[in-house]
């Protein structure tokens, strides 16, 4: 690997185009940390920044045979990160507008058939995923969600600490977000309907 550290970006790119995994690893090692900081600065979110970096490098590997850069590798990587971040921000804004519209319609009791179908499908998917949570986590989550008990009430009922209740609920929400691949705001909207 030492020999790869001494290569220029252009030389690494030539090797990458031939499918050289070590060249890819060196490119990743050379640029991933600074690109991550760049993405995190733009997004203010560690997980999203990690996802952006993973997508950029996955794309580079998948397109390695066709990569024809008109700029430096460094410039290309920064531009790729910036574009992914902007796409993510646009998607989140679109989701936010959609969620606001659905939330307002639900509050007014006015919603279209499409909105009702989407909401019912989301509800069904969330309930299915909740049923797949570990037993104790599911119990804590359902006491909080369905019976609207406070952390202290759940802790007393189950003879566990308030902190354990809080951790179980947070972990359940994290698992649901990952499994359902939905924005936190959409999950929050659903969780606050009852």
């Amino acid at each position: 690997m030492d020999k790869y550290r001494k290569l220029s970006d252009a030389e690494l790119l030539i090797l990458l185009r031939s499918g050289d995994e070590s060249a890819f690893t060196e490119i990743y090692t050379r640029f991933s940390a600074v690109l991550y900081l760049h993405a995190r600065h733009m997004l203010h979110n560690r997980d999203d920044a990690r996802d952006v970096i993973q997508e950029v490098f996955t794309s580079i590997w998948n397109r390695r045979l066709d990569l024809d850069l008109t700029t430096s590798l460094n410039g290309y990587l920064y531009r790729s990160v910036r574009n992914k971040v902007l796409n993510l921000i646009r998607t989140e804004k679109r989701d936010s507008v959609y969620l606001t519209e659905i939330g307002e319609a639900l509050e007014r009791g006015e919603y279209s058939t499409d909105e009702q179908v989407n909401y019912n499908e989301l509800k069904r998917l969330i309930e299915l995923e909740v049923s797949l949570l570990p037993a104790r986590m599911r119990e804590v989550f359902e006491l909080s969600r369905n019976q609207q008990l406070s952390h202290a009430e759940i802790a007393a009922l189950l003879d566990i600490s308030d902190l354990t209740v809080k951790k179980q609920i947070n972990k359940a929400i994290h698992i649901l977000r990952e499994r359902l691949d939905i924005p936190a705001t959409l999950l929050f909207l659903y969780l606050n309907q009852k």
Side-chain angles (χ1 to χ4, degrees), residues 1-170:
M1 287 302 288
D2 250 358
K3 75 173 190 173
Y4 286 93
R5 278 191 211 119
K6 296 175 183 173
L7 296 176
S8 69
D9 294 348
E11 291 168 319
L12 287 170
L13 190 56
I14 291 167
L15 292 171
L16 174 66
R17 285 190 193 120
S18 70
D20 189 321
E21 290 180 26
S22 295
F24 175 77
T25 301
E26 178 58 28
I27 291 170
Y28 181 84
T29 302
R30 197 173 283 186
F31 292 103
S32 62
V34 70
L35 291 171
Y36 166 77
L37 292 174
H38 180 58
R40 186 168 174 207
H41 175 74
M42 293 175 73
L43 292 167
H44 306 288
N45 182 301
R46 277 183 250 166
D47 293 335
D48 287 346
R50 276 191 214 110
D51 291 345
V52 163
I53 300 309
Q54 184 170 347
E55 285 179 32
V56 166
F57 280 99
T58 298
S59 174
I60 286 171
W61 179 254
N62 290 337
R63 296 180 48 230
R64 66 190 176 278
L65 302 175
D66 303 323
L67 272 180
D68 186 26
L69 305 185
T70 56
T71 63
S72 68
L73 179 58
N74 185 35
Y76 174 80
L77 290 169
Y78 270 94
R79 193 172 61 252
S80 296
V81 167
R82 184 190 52 133
N83 290 342
K84 292 269 185 208
V85 166
L86 292 176
N87 286 340
L88 182 62
I89 290 170
R90 273 192 290 273
T91 300
E92 286 179 354
K93 281 184 181 175
R94 202 169 36 243
D95 288 347
S96 177
V97 168
Y98 177 70
L99 290 175
T100 301
E101 289 171 358
I102 287 180
E104 289 170 357
L106 288 171
E107 284 176 16
R108 290 189 313 266
E110 306 167 359
Y111 39 86
S112 70
T113 304
D114 285 345
E115 288 166 335
Q116 185 62 46
V117 167
N118 289 341
Y119 178 76
N120 288 341
E121 179 63 13
L122 174 63
K123 183 178 173 183
R124 185 189 67 74
L125 289 171
I126 291 173
E127 287 170 357
L128 173 66
E129 290 301 333
V130 168
S131 73
L132 298 174
L133 292 172
R136 185 59 142 197
M137 185 184 297
R138 182 179 65 245
E139 182 179 20
V140 169
F141 185 79
E142 288 177 339
L143 287 169
S144 170
R145 167 78 181 107
N146 298 335
Q147 297 185 25
Q148 298 177 345
L149 298 180
S150 70
H151 291 183
E153 291 169 325
I154 296 169
L157 183 66
L158 299 178
D159 195 29
I160 56 178
S161 73
D162 287 11
L163 183 60
T164 301
V165 170
K166 183 178 180 179
K167 285 181 180 179
Q168 290 289 307
I169 291 170
N170 288 339

